[in-house]
Amino acid sequence: MDDEVSTDICNVHMDKIKKGSWLDDLIHVFNELGGRGRYNEVYPLAKARRMSRHASWTSHAEASIRRTVEDHAASSLNFKKKNPSSRIAVFRSVEGHGKGIWELLQEYRSTPASESADEKLPKPVKLKYHQGIEGIFEEKTYWRRSRDPRLVQARKKKDNFTCQTCSYRKRGEGNKYIIDVHHVMPLGNLTRETVTTLDDLVCLCPNCHRIAHSRKDRPLSVEEIKNLL
């Protein structure tokens, strides 16, 4: 496990750390996480590291991890209570204490031996969630405001089934055009029924329709969408 992360950590700093200690393990674990992580990400890696060499892992292990981190974070009370001669600052709180996000100080971060300081390669992202259960039947009750399908069809014909921002025009399955009709003023913003005219509608392809609704308070206009493309 010691060879997992190539330790280009400054030896001057690591010489102060007892090999095999909680602090030594956590420096390696945080480096596996890219130098930053939450406790729930640290626990399983720390357990795997210690178990691989048959080191102890008890019901108090997670508390030991938290105490070790805070004992070696200059901003924590634990650190400030220690004798100045025995203080070793290794971690820092990223968003303030209580947020649970910690990172290594730069001098304890490792750099793969094959990389120079000027040409570090991006590390592949490790996906922590690989599968989930879907397809469960759920009963939902909701209200939706009615649309006039004749008006929608009339707008499609008026715009020749063409997106008015990117000019997308294509037929899909069943020889039907892949085109949406967008309400310039969303029906969801209404408090009562209203009279809609053709001028209140515009044809957009599914992508541009999604872009139009990317702004929460009101949809993007046709011109605003064009400026984004």
Side-chain angles (χ1 to χ4, degrees):
M1 199 80 175
D2 287 341
D3 296 329
E4 280 185 8
V5 178
S6 178
T7 54
D8 237 2
I9 309 170
C10 180
N11 289 332
V12 174
H13 297 290
M14 289 306 291
D15 283 347
K16 302 176 184 178
I17 312 299
K18 181 180 177 182
K19 191 171 179 61
S21 65
W22 275 112
L23 182 56
D24 179 57
D25 283 337
L26 290 176
I27 289 172
H28 283 81
V29 165
F30 271 88
N31 272 304
E32 286 185 57
L33 291 169
R36 174 186 294 194
R38 296 178 180 274
Y39 282 132
N40 62 357
E41 297 173 310
V42 171
Y43 296 148
L45 292 179
K47 182 176 182 179
R49 181 177 179 82
R50 292 182 69 83
M51 297 295 284
S52 70
R53 65 172 192 275
H54 308 292
S56 65
W57 184 271
T58 68
S59 58
H60 304 293
E62 294 182 359
S64 296
I65 288 173
R66 295 191 296 272
R67 185 175 63 250
T68 300
V69 169
E70 296 196 25
D71 280 351
H72 297 88
S75 58
S76 75
L77 291 177
N78 291 16
F79 182 90
K80 294 172 182 176
K81 290 177 182 177
K82 298 180 72 173
N83 188 307
S85 63
S86 64
R87 293 174 182 171
I88 303 176
V90 177
F91 305 97
R92 80 174 191 90
S93 176
V94 177
E95 297 180 355
H97 289 273
K99 301 296 184 181
I101 306 176
W102 298 88
E103 70 177 7
L104 287 170
L105 297 182
Q106 191 60 45
E107 54 265 36
Y108 291 97
R109 297 196 181 200
S110 63
T111 303
S114 60
E115 296 180 11
S116 69
D118 296 326
E119 50 182 21
K120 293 184 179 180
L121 299 175
K123 293 179 174 60
V125 176
K126 292 182 179 179
L127 297 178
K128 295 180 175 60
Y129 194 81
H130 297 278
Q131 60 183 11
I133 299 175
E134 297 184 328
I136 298 172
F137 279 105
E138 297 179 336
E139 181 179 351
K140 293 186 177 181
T141 301
Y142 62 94
W143 292 90
R144 71 184 296 270
R145 292 192 177 276
S146 63
R147 274 80 170 162
D148 187 334
R150 294 169 299 179
L151 198 60
V152 168
Q153 194 61 25
R155 185 72 239 190
K156 288 181 179 181
K157 290 180 179 179
K158 182 177 178 62
D159 288 339
N160 196 25
F161 302 93
T162 303
C163 178
Q164 298 304 293
T165 58
C166 71
S167 301
Y168 178 89
R169 185 176 187 270
K170 195 173 184 65
R171 295 179 189 267
E173 188 70 24
N175 207 32
K176 293 182 179 179
Y177 284 100
I178 304 169
I179 195 71
D180 294 346
V181 173
H182 167 66
H183 285 74
V184 176
M185 178 59 69
L187 292 182
N189 292 354
L190 300 176
T191 57
R192 54 173 297 170
E193 64 272 12
T194 188
V195 175
T196 301
T197 69
L198 281 181
D199 292 335
D200 297 319
L201 306 173
V202 63
C203 280
L204 297 176
C205 68
N207 281 342
C208 290
H209 200 179
R210 180 72 177 269
I211 293 172
H213 287 286
S214 63
R215 185 165 60 193
K216 291 184 178 180
D217 57 339
R218 68 186 189 284
L220 295 171
S221 67
V222 168
E223 289 305 315
E224 286 176 311
I225 298 172
K226 286 181 179 179
N227 290 335
L228 293 175
L229 300 179

